[in-house]
Amino acid sequence: PILQNIDRFFNTLDHKIEKPVRSHLKNVYGALAMCLLAAGAGAYVHVFTDIIQGNFLVSLGAIGMMLLLYSTPDSPTNRNKRLAYFLTFGALTGLGTGPILDYAMRLNPGIIV
């Protein structure tokens, strides 16, 4: 019965939410997923490679990307630029969490896995 209720919930979701709202939610969660992938890639670069290491300047870069994203107006011509700022912000944020991940792996590597 529980699985039937869950299945019924997801099948009736299309009927309960208006099409513009569904489209907006799809865009929001798609952008969130891309940002999380970029953050994961940034953390991976810090932990497993020596290309670049997270430090204070990386954190300042993330803040700079956030300010650029905030100051760029939303228009169809700026949409790709804003997405690039957002994904760069995510990657730099992930890179900035690298030192914390290093510390956690020294304490107990099982925490990360």
Side-chain angles (χ1 to χ4, degrees):
I2 292 175
L3 292 177
Q4 291 172 346
N5 289 338
I6 292 172
D7 189 45
R8 190 177 324 124
F9 171 75
F10 284 113
N11 286 335
T12 59
L13 206 56
D14 286 340
H15 303 296
K16 292 180 182 178
I17 299 176
E18 295 83 17
K19 186 169 175 60
V21 175
R22 271 186 283 153
S23 176
H24 174 72
L25 289 174
K26 181 181 75 168
N27 291 337
V28 167
Y29 285 112
L32 179 64
M34 288 190 302
C35 187
L36 286 173
L37 284 172
Y44 179 86
V45 165
H46 174 86
V47 172
F48 295 111
T49 68
D50 290 328
I51 297 172
I52 188 170
Q53 298 292 310
N55 55 26
F56 184 69
L57 290 177
V58 170
S59 299
L60 288 179
I63 292 170
M65 284 293 123
M66 184 175 51
L67 292 175
L68 275 172
L69 179 63
Y70 178 74
S71 65
T72 305
D74 184 25
S75 68
T77 58
N78 288 340
R79 196 146 297 154
N80 288 336
K81 186 187 301 186
R82 288 174 53 86
L83 181 63
Y85 291 158
F86 184 62
L87 294 179
T88 305
F89 167 74
L92 290 176
T93 301
L95 196 61
T97 61
I100 297 169
L101 291 172
D102 281 339
Y103 182 71
M105 287 191 316
R106 274 189 299 232
L107 288 178
N108 182 2
I111 294 172
I112 304 300
V113 178

